[in-house]
Amino acid sequence: MTIAAVSDAGPLIHLAEIGSLELLSAFDTLLVPETVYKEVETGGVPDEFVDLSYELVEANGSQVGTDELDAGERAAIAVAEDRGSVLLTDDLAAREAASDADIEVRGSIGVIALGYGRGLLDRDEAAMRMRALQRATSLFVTEAVVERGIRILDEQ
């Protein structure tokens, strides 16, 4: 199965914080809206980012969502909707807006689970990285969400 994804800044930042950007290679195509790249660039583009295979794309997110979404989230949702891609986001408001538009959504934990499913990580390494998202990044994620992610590993 071929999987294309478009990311907002959250997963790019959070996966970089735990040295796991390479897991984005689990997607056959990775799209990054220019607006999102500029957001990531503001905080400093992670060194691992240059090793990623991705396509910078233009997006007009002005028609998307609510005031709760930033420009990068709106752009990513617009691209996901336009191209029928999975949206990568850790933002609850972006998840809700994407779900309302029938767009499949994965967060950083879902990226790790896909990496495991595609053989990039063993189960213990995947579980460790999920726990690291909670303990060692700027992402707010509850223990319950992490444990649900680990259960997903066991179901694959």
Side-chain angles (χ1 to χ4, degrees):
M1 172 197 329
T2 300
I3 304 174
V6 57
S7 188
D8 76 8
L12 299 175
I13 292 166
H14 302 133
L15 291 169
E17 289 173 329
I18 59 168
S20 296
L21 274 178
E22 82 283 357
L23 295 178
L24 292 169
S25 69
F27 295 96
D28 300 296
T29 304
L30 178 63
L31 306 170
V32 178
E34 290 176 354
T35 307
V36 169
Y37 186 85
K38 288 176 185 171
E39 287 178 3
V40 173
E41 193 173 43
T42 299
V45 177
D47 293 339
E48 294 176 278
F49 204 78
V50 297
D51 296 329
L52 277 180
S53 176
Y54 64 93
E55 179 185 343
L56 271 181
V57 294
E58 290 185 31
N60 180 1
S62 63
Q63 306 297 320
V64 174
T66 71
D67 293 337
E68 295 178 30
L69 303 178
D70 68 26
E73 292 159 350
R74 287 193 303 271
I77 290 169
V79 172
E81 189 169 33
D82 184 52
R83 301 215 184 171
S85 301
V86 174
L87 173 68
L88 304 180
T89 186
D90 291 320
D91 183 86
L92 182 59
R95 283 178 168 276
E96 290 171 353
S99 293
D100 289 346
D102 291 325
I103 297 169
E104 181 182 343
V105 180
R106 286 183 186 250
S108 294
I109 287 177
V111 172
I112 294 170
L114 181 63
Y116 168 72
R118 292 223 161 170
L120 300 176
L121 301 169
D122 66 29
R123 187 240 181 247
D124 291 342
E125 179 68 17
M128 183 192 76
R129 291 188 193 199
M130 286 181 184
R131 288 187 177 104
L133 281 171
Q134 182 183 30
R135 296 184 184 124
T137 72
S138 58
L139 175 63
F140 173 77
V141 60
T142 65
E143 184 72 26
V145 170
V146 171
E147 291 305 316
R148 188 172 75 221
I150 293 170
R151 280 194 307 275
I152 289 169
L153 299 176
D154 295 333
E155 295 168 1
Q156 289 188 30

